[in-house]
């Protein structure tokens, strides 16, 4: 075929009547006819004769419905071949079809020599510099061999002006058909590269003409593809695993390099690699591992909630398969409520938050679960000293649909017996969680996923009360592909969190206390790859909140306790967003995002209005108005612009900057220093304003030694408004007028974060350091609403210095040693500093709020990891983890409390959670 076309090109180059258009006119109609039938109809109605390879025409499966009236042959063929990869040339009464290429009048000057062009990048395929098969055959520098067959994307157009196009596709395992993540693709002799994502997808921006793509992986055979690009298109690639024995199999890349992405402040947790991180009782924990990275902290050991870049616990949006998880902790904060054996990826956005996320000020924890194995039954699990864990997946319809099931439960209360606190030693606690996920690849354009999750905790800290809390969520996601460039996702989610306290005694004071929050969201998201410079994302979302703020019902029929039910709260939060990932040049990439959120507080509600110019309390209520069911009480809203940019100084060195504005319409009410299971959520209304924040960040990112090391240095500054705090002695539970106990002030946070990661070699892990401050100001014209004289003071979670080192050393392929070291500045606390007499009574005098600090936190954990043998044919592959938590036995304080002794002196005492080394051994298995 090559020789035939080449001979034809040479023959035509000497023909004076080359490409002459005939003046013959034709009137013809086509109705749902294929291309071959249409060409035969033209032949039978005219003097023209077509020459082509029948397989070319058969491959273009299109149906033609067109009417032509007195049209030339050029007009007809341009219309018929517009949506095919065929070109044509008219030679008197002969019409010759060509596949992808056009026929050119002139040959290049070096066509009859054996040497290739000096610069293969000159082979652009435009009308002035066409591509010829003979030149491809001699491009030895281009690695064009029989193994690297030429692939055409689109068809050549001599009049085209566009120079760059987008090539997308999926890389799969040829034997199993499963997508292959983290496969590296590089265009030879060009500074263009990428990697496949977790679903095996890739996207490359390629110049017009010849591109030689090298597909590499340490665990797969290397492939070279010679691709001639004339338009945007798709190329799916199958690869095979290597059959030779490797000394070591390592994955150097996890998606795009940190230097390449435009997003700053992004933390991606290596789900598989975290098994080597020694944590309490040998439990794998995604969220505990997250706190070892710069900018993510907790207030203390065994505490729930996270503080990201100086934000409060309620300012983090935690998503599990797109549904909100309100309490992500088990066992009073010791364990995560997210099953690590069912998790696929975990991305934490703490700097640049994409425009499709909203509703929180500080961060987004975006956690996605795995799909079940669509080919065969498989699973993994663990048996530890406190919990057991099992997950498995199996196909429903092979290679099309599957389910994943995961469950975890605790079976021992012995951990409580190791604690110093006598009340805790006599307590009991237990939890369990389960997840079920269904996935169905309906066809190449439609995919359906559905997830159901439930977790439950039960604990008793004293003999007369039982605390119970639970999370329940469900999500459904339908992915639809309109075209290779245009995709959509329709999502519906529902989340519920509730807690209950059974106070049960033998007297009449027994009662049942409870709280519940429920939200439902519908979201429609689109992504459109417009061209090589613009990638658009846009969508709309709406969320309905329903809150039962609390009830207290006596359980004894003779009780004197009056039943209490706080009026329910309801609100609607909606948003529309648009984003553009704009590639200005090879060095400069900008992500532009604009989100508009709208919030409406809804009835049924009785709303108090207070006298203007006076503090909010029961005495300043001027009137109470009743709002009917679904009647709008109060609205808020506004724009949330987000801009991020990345500039390459070099291929492995970049700088990033970002600006984000966020709004939050829901608040966590907590009288504790740390987040508690009995904390409640409060919606913004006529008397409680929504929070807002603006953050700017700047960072430098560098890769060293062929991406063996990743270094980053990021700085940020954030200002917040209407941050919620409380008056001294505030009563938050079962308060019908809770707004009288609240304060809203300003916040500011700033810091610098350093991280170095080593991903390969015998020694790997990361070291992070953060210097940061988190301050709040509660100022008012009224003394009862002013704290610390209206000046900025340290927030409860202000810890200026935070250092962590997570390292793993591999002695052999099966044996490794891990260590986890943490140092943090002690958190702020308010101390009693004296006493005073007033009205004949003696009172304790306290310092300014958060003026002092508890002692610094220091902890060292160690672990030994033992992999099972690597035989392929065995029932299950095993992994042992032997670890010691707090190996130094340091008595790190959890809290400080004060007691007045009989002599009248106030003495301080500190409480620790784990003041001794805690050993554990965990057996992990995979089948």
């Amino acid at each position: 075929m090559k020789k035939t076309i080449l001979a034809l090109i040479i023959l035509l180059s000497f023909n004076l009547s080359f490409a002459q258009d005939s003046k013959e006119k034709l009137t013809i109609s086509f109705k749902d006819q294929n291309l071959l039938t249409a060409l035969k109809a033209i032949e039978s109605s005219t003097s023209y004769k077509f020459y082509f390879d029948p397989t070319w025409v058969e491959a273009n499966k299109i149906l033609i419905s067109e009417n032509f009236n007195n049209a030339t042959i050029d007009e007809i063929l341009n219309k018929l071949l517009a949506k095919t990869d065929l070109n044509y040339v008219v030679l008197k009464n002969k019409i010759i079809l060509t596949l992808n290429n056009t026929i050119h009048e002139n040959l290049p000057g070096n066509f009859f020599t054996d040497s290739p062009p000096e610069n293969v990048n000159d082979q652009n395929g435009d009308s002035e510099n066409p591509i010829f098969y003979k030149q491809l055959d001699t491009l030895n520098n281009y690695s064009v061999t029989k193994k690297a067959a030429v692939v055409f994307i689109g068809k050549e157009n001599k009049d085209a002006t566009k120079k760059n196009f987008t090539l997308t596709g999926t890389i799969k395992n040829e034997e199993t058909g499963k997508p292959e993540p983290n496969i590296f693709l590089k265009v030879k002799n060009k500074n263009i590269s990428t990697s496949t994502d977790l679903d095996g997808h890739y996207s490359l921006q390629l110049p017009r003409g010849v591109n030689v793509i090298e597909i590499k992986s340490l665990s797969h055979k290397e492939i070279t593809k010679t691709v001639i690009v004339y338009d945007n298109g798709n190329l799916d690639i199958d690869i095979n695993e290597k059959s030779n024995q490797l000394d070591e199999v390592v994955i150097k890349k996890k998606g795009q390099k940190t230097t390449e992405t435009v997003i700053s402040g992004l933390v991606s947790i290596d789900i598989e690699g975290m098994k080597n991180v020694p944590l309490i009782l040998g439990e794998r924990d995604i969220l505990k591992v997250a706190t070892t990275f710069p900018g993510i902290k907790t207030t203390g050991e065994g505490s729930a909630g996270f503080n990201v870049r100086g934000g409060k616990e309620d300012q983090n949006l935690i998503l599990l398969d797109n549904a909100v998880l309100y309490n992500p902790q088990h066992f009073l904060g010791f364990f995560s409520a997210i099953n690590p054996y069912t998790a696929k990826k975990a991305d934490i956005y703490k700097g640049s938050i994409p425009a499709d996320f909203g509703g929180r000020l500080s961060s987004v924890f975006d956690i996605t679960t795995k799909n079940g194995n669509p080919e065969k039954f498989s699973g993994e699990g663990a048996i530890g000293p406190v919990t057991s864990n099992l997950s498995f997946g199996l196909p429903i319809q092979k290679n099309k649909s599957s389910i994943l099931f995961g469950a975890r439960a605790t079976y021992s209360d012995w951990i409580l017996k190791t604690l110093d606190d006598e009340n805790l030693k006599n307590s009991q606690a237990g939890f369990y969680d389960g997840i079920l996920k269904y996935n169905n690849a309906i066809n190449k354009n439609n995919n359906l996923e559905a997830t159901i999750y439930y977790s439950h905790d039960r604990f008793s800290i004293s003999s007369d009360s039982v605390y119970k809390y639970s999370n329940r969520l469900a999500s459904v996601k339908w992915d639809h592909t309109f075209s290779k460039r245009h995709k959509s996702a329709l999502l519906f989610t529902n989340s519920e969190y509730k807690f209950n306290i059974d106070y049960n005694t033998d007297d009449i004071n027994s009662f049942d206390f409870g709280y519940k929050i429920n939200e439902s969201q519908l979201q429609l998201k689109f992504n459109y790859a417009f061209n090589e410079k613009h990638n658009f994302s846009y969508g709309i979302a709406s969320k309905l909140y329903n809150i039962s703020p609390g009830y207290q019902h006596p359980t004894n029929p003779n009780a004197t306790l009056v039943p209490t039910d706080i009026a329910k709260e309801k609100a609607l939060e909606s948003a529309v967003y648009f984003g553009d990932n704009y590639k200005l040049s090879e060095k400069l990439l900008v992500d532009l995002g604009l989100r508009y959120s709208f919030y409406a507080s809804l009835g049924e509600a009785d709303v108090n209005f207070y006298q203007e110019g006076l503090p909010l309390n029961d005495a300043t209520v001027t009137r109470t108005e009743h709002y009917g069911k679904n009647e709008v009480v109060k609205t808020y809203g506004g724009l949330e612009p987000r801009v991020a940019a990345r500039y390459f100084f070099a291929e492995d060195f970049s700088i990033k900057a970002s600006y984000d504005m966020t709004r939050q319409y829901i608040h966590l009410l907590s009288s504790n220093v740390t987040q508690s299971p009995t904390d409640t959520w409060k919606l913004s209304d006529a008397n409680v304003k929504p929070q807002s924040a603006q953050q700017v960040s700047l960072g430098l990112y560098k890769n060293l030694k062929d991406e063996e090391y990743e270094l980053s240095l990021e700085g940020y500054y954030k200002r917040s408004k209407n941050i919620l705090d409380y008056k001294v002695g505030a009563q938050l539970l079962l308060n019908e007028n809770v707004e009288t106990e609240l304060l809203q002030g300003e916040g500011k946070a700033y810091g610098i974060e350093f991280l170095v990661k080593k991903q390969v070699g015998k020694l790997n892990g990361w070291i992070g350091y953060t210097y940061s401050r988190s301050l709040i100001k509660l100022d008012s014209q009224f003394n009862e609403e002013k704290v610390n004289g209206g000046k900025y003071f340290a927030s409860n979670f202000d810890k200026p210095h935070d250092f962590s080192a997570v390292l793993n050393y591999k002695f052999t392929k099966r044996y490794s040693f891990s260590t986890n070291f943490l140092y943090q500045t002690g958190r702020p606390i308010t101390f009693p500093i004296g006493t005073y007499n007033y009205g004949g009574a003696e009172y304790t005098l306290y310092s300014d709020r958060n003026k002092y600090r508890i002692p610094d936190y220091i902890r060292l954990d160690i672990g030994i990891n033992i992999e099972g043998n690597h035989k392929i044919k065995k029932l299950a592959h095993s992994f042992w983890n032997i670890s010691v938590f707090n190996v130094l036995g340091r008595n790190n304080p959890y809290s400080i409390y004060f007691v007045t002794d009989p002599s009248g002196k106030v003495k301080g005492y500190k409480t620790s959670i784990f003041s001794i080394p805690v050993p554990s051994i965990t057996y992990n298995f995979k089948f």
Side-chain angles (χ1 to χ4, degrees), residues 671-682:
S671 57
N672 302 308
V673 173
T674 64
Q675 187 174 341
S676 163
T678 57
D679 292 340
T680 60
W681 293 82
K682 167 69 180 172

PDB file of all heavy atoms in Angstrom, residues 671-682:
ATOM      1  N   SER A 671     -18.762  23.399  73.411  1.00  0.00           N
ATOM      2  CA  SER A 671     -18.208  24.070  74.585  1.00  0.00           C
ATOM      3  C   SER A 671     -16.903  23.433  75.024  1.00  0.00           C
ATOM      4  O   SER A 671     -16.307  23.840  76.022  1.00  0.00           O
ATOM      5  CB  SER A 671     -19.217  24.028  75.744  1.00  0.00           C
ATOM      6  OG  SER A 671     -19.568  22.687  76.037  1.00  0.00           O
ATOM      7  N   ASN A 672     -16.454  22.408  74.280  1.00  0.00           N
ATOM      8  CA  ASN A 672     -15.197  21.731  74.598  1.00  0.00           C
ATOM      9  C   ASN A 672     -14.065  22.321  73.775  1.00  0.00           C
ATOM     10  O   ASN A 672     -14.281  22.939  72.732  1.00  0.00           O
ATOM     11  CB  ASN A 672     -15.305  20.227  74.306  1.00  0.00           C
ATOM     12  CG  ASN A 672     -16.427  19.572  75.076  1.00  0.00           C
ATOM     13  OD1 ASN A 672     -16.516  19.719  76.282  1.00  0.00           O
ATOM     14  ND2 ASN A 672     -17.295  18.864  74.365  1.00  0.00           N
ATOM     15  N   VAL A 673     -12.836  22.075  74.240  1.00  0.00           N
ATOM     16  CA  VAL A 673     -11.665  22.493  73.481  1.00  0.00           C
ATOM     17  C   VAL A 673     -11.561  21.695  72.180  1.00  0.00           C
ATOM     18  O   VAL A 673     -11.199  22.209  71.135  1.00  0.00           O
ATOM     19  CB  VAL A 673     -10.387  22.331  74.334  1.00  0.00           C
ATOM     20  CG1 VAL A 673      -9.147  22.610  73.499  1.00  0.00           C
ATOM     21  CG2 VAL A 673     -10.432  23.277  75.524  1.00  0.00           C
ATOM     22  N   THR A 674     -11.909  20.395  72.247  1.00  0.00           N
ATOM     23  CA  THR A 674     -11.851  19.539  71.076  1.00  0.00           C
ATOM     24  C   THR A 674     -13.255  19.145  70.660  1.00  0.00           C
ATOM     25  O   THR A 674     -14.204  19.218  71.440  1.00  0.00           O
ATOM     26  CB  THR A 674     -11.032  18.269  71.366  1.00  0.00           C
ATOM     27  OG1 THR A 674     -11.710  17.507  72.372  1.00  0.00           O
ATOM     28  CG2 THR A 674      -9.646  18.619  71.851  1.00  0.00           C
ATOM     29  N   GLN A 675     -13.378  18.690  69.405  1.00  0.00           N
ATOM     30  CA  GLN A 675     -14.672  18.257  68.902  1.00  0.00           C
ATOM     31  C   GLN A 675     -15.145  17.022  69.658  1.00  0.00           C
ATOM     32  O   GLN A 675     -14.378  16.102  69.925  1.00  0.00           O
ATOM     33  CB  GLN A 675     -14.592  17.951  67.413  1.00  0.00           C
ATOM     34  CG  GLN A 675     -15.928  17.653  66.769  1.00  0.00           C
ATOM     35  CD  GLN A 675     -15.818  17.503  65.273  1.00  0.00           C
ATOM     36  OE1 GLN A 675     -14.840  17.947  64.674  1.00  0.00           O
ATOM     37  NE2 GLN A 675     -16.817  16.878  64.663  1.00  0.00           N
ATOM     38  N   SER A 676     -16.434  17.008  69.995  1.00  0.00           N
ATOM     39  CA  SER A 676     -17.007  15.933  70.781  1.00  0.00           C
ATOM     40  C   SER A 676     -18.166  15.306  70.028  1.00  0.00           C
ATOM     41  O   SER A 676     -18.822  15.973  69.222  1.00  0.00           O
ATOM     42  CB  SER A 676     -17.498  16.487  72.129  1.00  0.00           C
ATOM     43  OG  SER A 676     -18.395  15.608  72.767  1.00  0.00           O
ATOM     44  N   PRO A 677     -18.474  14.006  70.269  1.00  0.00           N
ATOM     45  CA  PRO A 677     -19.630  13.390  69.615  1.00  0.00           C
ATOM     46  C   PRO A 677     -20.949  14.073  69.935  1.00  0.00           C
ATOM     47  O   PRO A 677     -21.916  13.938  69.193  1.00  0.00           O
ATOM     48  CB  PRO A 677     -19.607  11.949  70.156  1.00  0.00           C
ATOM     49  CG  PRO A 677     -18.200  11.719  70.569  1.00  0.00           C
ATOM     50  CD  PRO A 677     -17.699  13.030  71.061  1.00  0.00           C
ATOM     51  N   THR A 678     -21.004  14.802  71.071  1.00  0.00           N
ATOM     52  CA  THR A 678     -22.247  15.463  71.464  1.00  0.00           C
ATOM     53  C   THR A 678     -22.286  16.928  71.052  1.00  0.00           C
ATOM     54  O   THR A 678     -23.150  17.676  71.523  1.00  0.00           O
ATOM     55  CB  THR A 678     -22.455  15.346  72.988  1.00  0.00           C
ATOM     56  OG1 THR A 678     -21.324  15.904  73.673  1.00  0.00           O
ATOM     57  CG2 THR A 678     -22.637  13.895  73.388  1.00  0.00           C
ATOM     58  N   ASP A 679     -21.374  17.338  70.197  1.00  0.00           N
ATOM     59  CA  ASP A 679     -21.453  18.694  69.644  1.00  0.00           C
ATOM     60  C   ASP A 679     -22.619  18.758  68.658  1.00  0.00           C
ATOM     61  O   ASP A 679     -22.954  17.773  68.000  1.00  0.00           O
ATOM     62  CB  ASP A 679     -20.153  19.060  68.930  1.00  0.00           C
ATOM     63  CG  ASP A 679     -18.995  19.196  69.895  1.00  0.00           C
ATOM     64  OD1 ASP A 679     -19.245  19.383  71.102  1.00  0.00           O
ATOM     65  OD2 ASP A 679     -17.839  19.086  69.442  1.00  0.00           O
ATOM     66  N   THR A 680     -23.210  19.917  68.540  1.00  0.00           N
ATOM     67  CA  THR A 680     -24.358  20.092  67.650  1.00  0.00           C
ATOM     68  C   THR A 680     -24.032  21.109  66.557  1.00  0.00           C
ATOM     69  O   THR A 680     -23.137  21.946  66.722  1.00  0.00           O
ATOM     70  CB  THR A 680     -25.596  20.561  68.430  1.00  0.00           C
ATOM     71  OG1 THR A 680     -25.322  21.820  69.072  1.00  0.00           O
ATOM     72  CG2 THR A 680     -25.983  19.526  69.488  1.00  0.00           C
ATOM     73  N   TRP A 681     -24.783  21.021  65.452  1.00  0.00           N
ATOM     74  CA  TRP A 681     -24.607  21.930  64.332  1.00  0.00           C
ATOM     75  C   TRP A 681     -25.740  22.941  64.308  1.00  0.00           C
ATOM     76  O   TRP A 681     -26.904  22.590  64.562  1.00  0.00           O
ATOM     77  CB  TRP A 681     -24.558  21.166  63.019  1.00  0.00           C
ATOM     78  CG  TRP A 681     -23.340  20.301  62.882  1.00  0.00           C
ATOM     79  CD1 TRP A 681     -23.156  19.062  63.386  1.00  0.00           C
ATOM     80  CD2 TRP A 681     -22.140  20.633  62.180  1.00  0.00           C
ATOM     81  NE1 TRP A 681     -21.912  18.579  63.055  1.00  0.00           N
ATOM     82  CE2 TRP A 681     -21.265  19.529  62.304  1.00  0.00           C
ATOM     83  CE3 TRP A 681     -21.722  21.740  61.447  1.00  0.00           C
ATOM     84  CZ2 TRP A 681     -20.002  19.506  61.746  1.00  0.00           C
ATOM     85  CZ3 TRP A 681     -20.466  21.723  60.883  1.00  0.00           C
ATOM     86  CH2 TRP A 681     -19.611  20.620  61.032  1.00  0.00           C
ATOM     87  N   LYS A 682     -25.400  24.176  63.999  1.00  0.00           N
ATOM     88  CA  LYS A 682     -26.354  25.281  63.974  1.00  0.00           C
ATOM     89  C   LYS A 682     -26.344  25.928  62.594  1.00  0.00           C
ATOM     90  O   LYS A 682     -25.276  26.234  62.044  1.00  0.00           O
ATOM     91  CB  LYS A 682     -25.965  26.320  65.044  1.00  0.00           C
ATOM     92  CG  LYS A 682     -26.660  27.661  64.939  1.00  0.00           C
ATOM     93  CD  LYS A 682     -28.128  27.553  65.279  1.00  0.00           C
ATOM     94  CE  LYS A 682     -28.798  28.927  65.173  1.00  0.00           C
ATOM     95  NZ  LYS A 682     -30.269  28.825  65.303  1.00  0.00           N
TER      96      LYS A 682
END
